[in-house]
Amino acid sequence: MAVVHSGSSGGLELPENVMVGQLDALANWCRKNSLWPMPFATACCGIELMATGAAKHDLARFGAEVFRFSPRQCDLMIVAGRVVMKMLPVLQRIWQQMHEPKWCISMGACASTGGVFDTYAVVQGIDRFIPVDMYVPGCPPRPEQLIQAIIDLQDKIQREGTITGREFDTAGRQLRKRALVEMAGPLTSDASRNPMLQRELAAAADAVAAKT
Amino acid sequence: MPSMPLAVDDILAGLAARCGAVETSVFRGQTRVVVPEPRSFEALAWLKEQGFDLLIDVTCVDYLEYPGAKHRYGLVYLLVSTATNCRLTVRVFVDDPDPTVKSVVPLWAAANWLEREVWDLFGIRFSGHPDLRRLVMPQEFTAHPLRKDYPLQGRGERHNFPIITRDHS
Amino acid sequence: MSIATPEFGTAGPEAGARSEDYLWTLNFGPQHPATHTTLRLVLKLDGERVVDAMPEMGYLHSGFEKIGEHLSFNQYVTVTDRMNYISPMANNVAWHGAVETLLGIELTPRCTYIRTIIAELARISDHLLSNGAVGLDTGAFTFFLYGFYQREVIYDIFETLCGARFTNSYTRVGGASHDFTPLVIEKIRIFLKNFPKTLNDMERLLTRNRIFVDRTKGVGVLTKEEAINGGATGPVARASGVTRDLRKDDPYLAYGDLDFQVCCASAGDCYSRYLVRMQEMRESLRIVAQALENLPAGPVDVGIGQRVARPTKQQVYSTIEGTISHFELSMSNRGFEVPHEESYAATEAPNGELGFYIVGDGSENAYRARCRPPSVLHFALFPQLIRGHTLSDVVAVLGSLNIIAAELDR
Ligand code: SF4
């Protein structure tokens, strides 16, 4: 176990079978080696995700083979494939249902940027609407690439953990979650629900006004 | 189904006798016939009786920018007879405002979802359809995206969702 | 953030909502392992019996047909890859088959054979996955792994052929992007030799497996009339006794020269759909073997006279026609000659009749590129297949219909 520093620091006399380490590092080490992915497979990339878990590429070598389809049991969401307007609310809801600590891999060009589908229905990158930790390029990425992304994510988890210990602040999280109320209504071209878009539009309007 | 399947020419002649003047044309071996909108259901029902029992597709073309087009929307019904393997394309033209055609769901169950899709993407109403809701776009969507006056990138609907940050989740 | 529950149509008796109060409503999907992709069912349950089902789609609608109006005939093939993504080659063949019908292009004999071979390989890989998925959902994981291993072999063949595992974009107007190399032919030969063994193993695993048979036999029965009326095609229709196969009825590519049989069943249940798919793989193997043995020599692309396929480098550098043709095809204001016409052409894709209705307006882009997706009509049949069966049969029926969301929604 590389992460636990053994030794007799500080003049403290330790028995032979006791090691001293940082609790954080230990927790991160545990977390990174038992990622439970939640396959949010929507399109073609999902087939490669399947291939990653199937006969030849065996994801189990990295401790991430336990695909669970319930968001409550998972801590890594792999969004494989394009996400469209009708699907995005589902994606957001599933993301919110996952427990902390959680990470997200955006697999494939579509999930990351919209890919070849620059059309009215496709969300141009899921990172506009949910946080993403790791992007896997490719259309579709080869299974090897996905495995590499998981390895990189493991490094990231080891390095950073969850930083603020957000997962222990249950009450605060619930409060903020509730702030995002259900927002139904006509899906029109106004930017009523997207503050970022509102800002962009306002800036554009300002620029036009400044010119004239 | 008649005991003797008719040849395509007979069918076209019969169709013309029943529905008034119909335009027919042949391109690359595919026979197409244009049926006037008010008689479309009648014509299709008659064609079904003549043995065209398999409805392959119902779709639509928006001729807004098409050079030389006379009508805005052209519906396409692709029919096949499973007995004779004969194919026929039936065209029905409709126009703005409020393009409406009679639904063919009573004839072919297959038309149900196909017509819903046409309604969703082109905004053509099918009168008599049992359940004319949007099929592929969200119910609260307001436009008909496959019309030619709707831009490829949409009008910003795809960005109009709340943003979830690390703080929110 | 609203996920509205759609209302049921006019299902159920007129007795009013009160008498149905004991019914459960269960939401199935759009993110559910057994849907494999993104589709949604709202089920009405009486205990474990499904009283009614309401399929919902559109969770993967990405505007394929709209893009088709903005990309040229050659570019759009990349998008067709993403349509039925478990057999992309079959879509490539269907798309360019339709384009060539519109343009009136005769393919070279070698090209027809090559396209036949890849379309059949695609069919095998599709059936492997769809049957594997039925197995997976009914609890036969080994079967799925066997199938997936062979899919990897087919992926490998395609990768050798054109450089991509499964988004191949292999065909071009009037030809193909690469010719068969000896290595490809060798790999297909090896596959032909090894695959029957795996297929036998797979059949031994499942075909007479008591659990599997019990779970699929008599489940989700589709009668012949319903199949025709509902517009079913492909294995789903053939399992119900509809003897339609475009490869025989309307021979395109090289199918007219090859000896094969159309596999049909009459029961129309999940089990016969499974059997039809298993048998079709054997027939496809026969087709591939025959086509490979009789593969004609000669060029893959149509000649430069047709002015649709790019000439080879040799032709460009050494002949004046080649240079002109290359120039014409590369200039943005020249390109092909496309008639002001519309045409429909279909192929027998693994899933059923996959056709494209293309409207040409003289430019290199289609004015309208309609795809006739078999999955939509199959999915619309779902409620009548599942009524009266139990909740656990839902996955078996869904798997046996082989619904691919990207083709369903486009
Ligand atoms: S990135 Fe490519 S392979 Fe993946 S979902 Fe998008 S189109 Fe399909």
Side-chain angles (χ1 to χ4, degrees):
Chain A
M1 220 167 37
V3 295
V4 176
H5 319 291
S6 62
S8 52
S9 52
L12 195 69
E13 208 49 45
L14 283 176
E16 247 174 43
N17 53 354
V18 171
M19 292 190 288
V20 178
Q22 286 169 296
L23 186 59
D24 238 19
L26 183 67
N28 288 343
W29 181 79
C30 293
R31 278 174 185 150
K32 84 169 194 192
N33 285 313
S34 71
L35 287 172
W36 284 27
M38 147 102 211
F40 194 88
T42 56
C44 353
C45 280
I47 304 293
E48 283 297 57
L49 182 59
M50 252 193 221
T52 315
K56 210 166 165 184
H57 298 278
D58 198 11
L59 203 51
R61 293 173 290 162
F62 307 96
E65 87 283 17
V66 197
F67 283 99
R68 281 288 175 275
F69 294 91
S70 160
R72 299 283 185 210
Q73 299 172 344
C74 299
D75 46 15
L76 167 63
M77 173 136 87
I78 303 181
V79 182
R82 51 193 172 274
V83 176
V84 306
M85 255 157 53
K86 211 168 171 177
M87 199 64 175
L88 188 73
V90 181
L91 174 70
Q92 289 185 325
R93 182 176 280 198
I94 289 180
W95 172 254
Q96 291 200 325
Q97 282 172 349
M98 284 169 64
H99 286 305
E100 288 281 356
K102 59 189 172 188
W103 295 274
C104 176
I105 291 184
S106 149
M107 175 182 180
C110 283
S112 309
T113 66
V116 288
F117 296 100
D118 188 6
T119 63
Y120 53 89
V122 181
V123 170
Q124 300 297 298
I126 55 165
D127 55 353
R128 286 168 183 251
F129 302 108
I130 65 167
V132 173
D133 292 286
M134 205 54 78
Y135 301 85
V136 191
C139 180
R142 299 179 61 98
E144 294 90 327
Q145 275 173 285
L146 180 62
I147 291 175
Q148 182 62 47
I150 289 180
I151 295 172
D152 288 348
L153 183 69
Q154 288 179 337
D155 286 351
K156 178 175 171 173
I157 294 171
Q158 178 66 65
R159 247 190 353 262
E160 300 176 1
T162 53
I163 301 180
T164 53
R166 227 176 16 249
E167 62 268 34
F168 304 113
D169 179 22
T170 316
R173 261 191 10 255
Q174 288 305 332
L175 212 67
R176 283 193 293 270
K177 231 184 239 184
R178 230 169 288 137
L180 254 183
V181 285
E182 301 257 328
M183 279 187 269
L187 197 56
T188 48
S189 41
D190 68 347
S192 54
R193 286 184 268 185
N194 189 333
M196 203 150 78
L197 190 64
Q198 274 169 17
R199 244 173 286 138
E200 259 171 47
L201 288 178
D206 285 350
V208 170
K211 241 184 224 161
T212 51
Chain B
M1 222 193 278
S3 51
M4 264 290 274
L6 299 176
V8 178
D9 290 340
D10 296 344
I11 287 173
L12 293 182
L15 204 58
R18 263 161 199 83
C19 307
V22 292
E23 275 173 56
T24 61
S25 56
V26 178
F27 177 68
R28 308 246 188 263
Q30 300 172 10
T31 315
R32 295 162 310 176
V33 40
V34 181
V35 177
E37 188 268 311
R39 325 277 314 244
S40 67
F41 184 80
E42 232 173 279
L44 287 162
W46 186 75
L47 284 173
K48 188 181 179 197
E49 271 170 33
Q50 302 311 309
F52 287 100
D53 47 358
L54 181 59
L55 178 72
I56 288 290
D57 201 357
V58 179
T59 184
C60 181
V61 184
D62 179 359
Y63 289 105
L64 183 65
E65 295 153 3
Y66 198 72
K70 291 195 215 65
H71 299 277
R72 171 104 195 242
Y73 307 104
L75 284 150
V76 185
Y77 296 85
L78 300 171
L79 308 179
V80 176
S81 153
T82 48
T84 60
N85 198 31
C86 166
R87 279 180 187 264
L88 187 67
T89 309
V90 179
R91 306 296 314 269
V92 178
F93 290 97
V94 286
D95 271 303
D96 275 337
D98 194 24
T100 312
V101 213
K102 199 146 187 284
S103 164
V104 294
V105 178
L107 304 175
W108 294 279
N112 191 335
W113 281 28
L114 296 172
E115 287 183 348
R116 273 177 67 187
E117 189 178 332
V118 172
W119 155 246
D120 187 354
L121 300 178
F122 287 95
I124 293 185
R125 216 169 262 291
F126 290 88
S127 59
H129 190 284
D131 180 24
L132 197 64
R133 284 180 295 124
R134 282 183 180 272
L135 185 65
V136 290
M137 300 305 289
Q139 297 300 334
E140 62 267 22
F141 197 70
T142 46
H144 298 289
L146 273 194
R147 288 190 176 179
K148 284 281 172 181
D149 49 10
Y150 187 82
L152 172 65
Q153 269 92 7
R155 301 204 178 106
E157 293 95 335
R158 61 183 179 181
H159 300 305
N160 196 11
F161 290 96
I163 298 169
I164 297 185
T165 58
R166 275 273 176 209
D167 271 353
H168 283 115
S169 46
Chain C
M1 299 294 292
S2 73
I3 303 174
T5 311
E7 279 161 28
F8 281 91
T10 47
E14 289 301 291
R18 196 139 296 236
S19 68
E20 291 184 359
D21 274 356
Y22 62 92
L23 293 184
W24 265 51
T25 304
L26 181 75
N27 185 44
F28 190 97
Q31 170 57 37
H32 184 278
T35 61
H36 294 294
T37 37
T38 51
L39 37 92
R40 178 174 178 214
L41 298 168
V42 184
L43 301 167
K44 251 191 198 178
L45 299 177
D46 171 9
E48 235 198 310
R49 297 250 149 238
V50 179
V51 178
D52 201 357
M54 232 238 358
E56 265 268 302
M57 56 179 261
Y59 292 93
L60 197 54
H61 175 70
S62 6
F64 279 70
E65 290 174 8
K66 192 88 176 175
I67 306 181
E69 297 165 5
H70 294 259
L71 294 183
S72 80
F73 292 131
N74 268 332
Q75 290 170 328
Y76 189 58
V77 73
T78 52
V79 178
T80 61
D81 279 339
R82 279 103 185 139
M83 205 171 275
N84 182 340
Y85 42 69
I86 65 176
S87 53
M89 282 290 201
N91 304 347
N92 295 172
V93 170
W95 165 249
H96 273 141
V99 171
E100 282 144 14
T101 309
L102 179 72
L103 303 186
I105 296 168
E106 273 291 322
L107 291 176
T108 61
R110 187 175 175 88
C111 185
T112 56
Y113 272 73
I114 286 182
R115 286 196 187 177
T116 310
I117 292 171
I118 58 168
E120 290 309 313
L121 287 176
R123 187 184 315 277
I124 293 174
S125 71
D126 173 288
H127 287 355
L128 279 174
L129 187 65
S130 58
N131 269 351
V134 179
L136 185 64
D137 293 344
T138 51
F141 193 56
T142 322
F143 183 81
F144 171 77
L145 289 179
Y146 274 43
F148 226 97
Y149 189 77
Q150 291 298 328
R151 267 178 74 86
E152 290 279 346
V153 178
I154 297 179
Y155 280 163
D156 191 41
I157 294 172
F158 287 164
E159 196 177 344
T160 321
L161 177 59
C162 63
R165 268 162 69 86
F166 87 93
T167 43
N168 314 94
S169 309
Y170 175 64
T171 56
R172 294 288 181 272
V173 179
S177 66
H178 300 74
D179 194 357
F180 271 17
T181 56
L183 182 61
V184 176
I185 295 179
E186 189 53 40
K187 284 196 171 173
I188 298 179
R189 287 234 168 85
I190 294 173
F191 174 73
L192 286 175
K193 203 161 112 242
N194 293 342
F195 185 59
K197 215 168 120 253
T198 317
L199 205 53
N200 289 342
D201 283 347
M202 288 170 75
E203 286 205 322
R204 242 172 288 150
L205 267 176
L206 221 53
T207 306
R208 285 160 58 86
N209 181 326
R210 184 66 191 278
I211 302 171
F212 180 72
V213 174
D214 279 354
R215 284 206 57 184
T216 52
K217 211 166 200 162
V219 172
V221 179
L222 182 70
T223 63
K224 188 174 172 184
E225 287 70 34
E226 283 172 346
I228 293 178
N229 197 22
T233 45
V236 175
R238 285 197 285 277
S240 300
V242 182
T243 52
R244 257 183 81 73
D245 189 326
L246 289 178
R247 293 175 293 172
K248 276 276 191 238
D249 297 342
D250 230 342
Y252 55 97
L253 294 181
Y255 288 110
D257 313 342
L258 304 172
D259 174 34
F260 65 98
Q261 298 197 324
V262 177
C263 314
C264 292
S266 55
D269 54 3
C270 292
Y271 187 60
S272 41
R273 287 193 275 278
Y274 158 82
L275 287 181
V276 165
R277 289 213 173 89
M278 282 316 249
Q279 199 54 38
E280 269 187 9
M281 282 196 263
R282 291 189 187 279
E283 292 300 324
S284 294
L285 271 186
R286 278 179 63 197
I287 296 175
V288 174
Q290 290 170 44
L292 202 63
E293 291 320 313
N294 300 322
L295 189 66
V300 180
D301 292 345
V302 292
I304 39 182
Q306 299 253 25
R307 213 164 264 177
V308 288
R310 256 168 226 284
T312 59
K313 210 167 207 171
Q314 187 65 36
Q315 284 169 327
V316 176
Y317 286 150
S318 57
T319 66
I320 184 72
E321 296 86 7
T323 316
I324 294 175
S325 174
H326 185 261
F327 178 76
E328 293 257 340
L329 285 175
S330 319
M331 293 304 286
S332 57
N333 57 346
R334 308 301 281 265
F336 318 150
E337 272 171 36
V338 181
H340 277 255
E341 268 295 356
E342 348 197 320
S343 74
Y344 173 79
T347 57
E348 184 73 29
N351 234 353
E353 175 169 339
L354 177 71
F356 285 93
Y357 187 88
I358 308 178
V359 181
D361 63 348
S363 74
E364 253 189 63
N365 303 356
Y367 183 76
R368 167 107 169 87
R370 157 74 180 172
C371 163
R372 188 262 180 206
S375 287
V376 170
L377 296 142
H378 295 164
F379 194 36
L381 289 170
F382 182 80
Q384 71 203 61
L385 295 190
I386 197 63
R387 261 178 224 138
H389 293 291
T390 58
L391 183 57
S392 57
D393 295 332
V394 170
V395 291
V397 175
L398 264 186
S400 76
L401 288 179
N402 188 23
I403 292 155
I404 306 300
E407 183 191 62
L408 180 72
D409 301 337
R410 284 153 293 123

